[in-house]
Amino acid sequence: MNYLRGFIPWIALAVVSTLGWQWGALAGLVLGGAMLVRARKAGAAADALILEYSTVAFFAALTAWAFARPGSGLKDYVGALALSWLAVTAWTTLAVGHPFTTGVARRQAPPEVWHTQVFKRINVVITAAWSTAFTLSAAALVVVVSAGLGSVVALAVQFAGFVLPALFTAWYPERARARLAPAAHRA
């Protein structure tokens, strides 16, 4: 569940925004910045912090906009915008061949497996799962907001958009290693 730790600013946005979207944006910025500084001080490589850098960039822009234009219609769609940003970030990391989950996985896996095909394949699949969840959740949030289904439904959609891929992330690697490792050894 270490993957969820990286999403704390995004979860804070969803929760704190019920008090005002400016405060949700600011909470995300503060938490995202603190997490990035902490990770860098702990020696994390910049390429292992793709999500953290993306988080700070998003929340810096959103916070500035939210406080400059508090009545903006964007406030109603901030959850969908946030998940869209995460989707773009995640899909982009796949497109450039460096799935964002790789940095998180390297913090947990021994260095001798980092360059194996099994490790790489697991991270591609897990990042694709997160990318898909972000994309579908963003689209669902647009529908929820447009239909006026309320903040409880919106929070449930956002919650599912993080929890379902987190559960998949916890479940998938062991099964993939069991299935892919024998094939990798034969090749």
Side-chain angles (χ1 to χ4, degrees), residues 98-111:
H98 188 76
F100 83 88
T101 59
T102 303
V104 178
R106 283 184 177 166
R107 295 179 205 161
Q108 300 169 21

Side-chain angles (χ1 to χ4, degrees), residues 12 21 24 29 32 39 58 67 70 74 85 100-101 106-107 120 124 134 152-153 164 167 176 179 186:
W21 75 303
L29 178 60
F58 175 83
F67 278 100
L74 185 63
W85 180 271
F100 83 88
T101 59
R106 283 184 177 166
R107 295 179 205 161
K120 291 175 184 178
V124 165
F134 295 148
V152 172
V153 176
L164 294 176
L167 291 173
R179 190 183 84 245
R186 286 191 301 268

Side-chain angles (χ1 to χ4, degrees), residues 9-10 13 21-22 24-33 36 52-68 85:
W10 303 92
L13 170 67
W21 75 303
Q22 306 93 319
L26 183 59
L29 178 60
V30 169
L31 288 168
L36 179 58
E52 289 84 348
Y53 283 114
S54 177
T55 296
V56 170
F58 175 83
F59 281 112
L62 183 64
T63 300
W65 184 265
F67 278 100
W85 180 271

